[in-house]
Amino acid sequence: MNRRTLLKWAVRGIGATVAAMAGIPALIAGFSPVWQRRPHKENWQSLGPVDEFPVGEMREIVVELPPEEWGEALREKTVYAWRPSDREAVVYSRSCTDLGCPLTFDPGSQCFFCPCHGGIFDRNGERLAGPPKRPMYRYAVRIVNREIVIDLHSVPLVA
Ligand code: FES
């Protein structure tokens, strides 16, 4: 085997290794149950008394997840909640709609910022900039007995 042939096979080997390193995780992710549709079965959880949410103020809330459903791996989820008026509440997933990185709310600009690729959303969850193609994930919300409750199943599992 001459040097040219050896080099050609070395380059092919490196190419195949890189392709496998990138492709196998993508294949696994593609078949993951996280991406499968699930039948919608509501799962309502309280965020707390409505009086703890002053109108207009964005709050970051950690919701404990039922262990029988999400297992030990995912015990809690962070959401953002606010009340545009006395009668309504809005709750967003913290996950960016691009690739799921955790969004941070900036009270100064009243915007959500994604640390991964520069996605920006306004306080209404609308996309302002960056790669996300859709608004923020928004939970189904009810105010029941003066408590804000959300349906954990009303957003995609990855949110
Ligand atoms: S994950 Fe948020 S912009 Fe890419």
Side-chain angles (χ1 to χ4, degrees):
M1 184 182 298
N2 64 23
R3 226 167 89 187
R4 178 176 291 236
T5 307
L6 181 66
L7 197 58
K8 189 167 76 181
W9 281 105
V11 167
R12 284 182 181 166
I14 290 169
T17 304
V18 169
M21 287 171 65
I24 290 172
L27 266 177
I28 291 169
F31 288 108
S32 166
V34 165
W35 298 105
Q36 292 174 4
R37 287 191 154 269
R38 59 182 168 184
H40 186 79
K41 188 179 111 208
E42 296 174 355
N43 185 339
W44 294 90
Q45 297 285 322
S46 174
L47 298 188
V50 74
D51 298 333
E52 292 180 4
F53 295 82
V55 172
E57 184 182 307
M58 188 69 70
R59 287 198 52 203
E60 188 177 325
I61 309 287
V62 176
V63 184
E64 285 192 26
L65 300 174
E68 69 276 5
E69 198 164 344
W70 274 274
E72 293 298 319
L74 189 59
R75 300 307 308 267
E76 57 188 32
K77 184 174 275 233
T78 302
V79 301
Y80 283 101
W82 71 295
R83 290 170 61 210
S85 73
D86 263 343
R87 285 194 216 128
E88 55 183 332
V90 175
V91 182
Y92 304 112
S93 163
R94 188 174 68 155
S95 299
C96 180
T97 52
D98 180 31
L99 294 179
C101 289
L103 298 167
T104 304
F105 183 71
D106 172 49
S109 63
Q110 295 287 302
C111 290
F112 294 92
F113 291 89
C114 179
C116 292
H117 314 107
I120 304 174
F121 302 86
D122 67 15
R123 71 176 293 124
N124 295 310
E126 295 299 325
R127 177 199 168 276
L128 294 179
K133 301 262 188 288
R134 51 156 293 157
M136 290 171 69
Y137 297 114
R138 194 169 158 163
Y139 287 92
V141 180
R142 291 181 186 154
I143 297 177
V144 180
N145 299 327
R146 306 279 310 150
E147 296 237 343
I148 296 177
V149 293
I150 61 171
D151 177 10
L152 292 174
H153 289 175
S154 59
V155 300
L157 196 54
V158 291

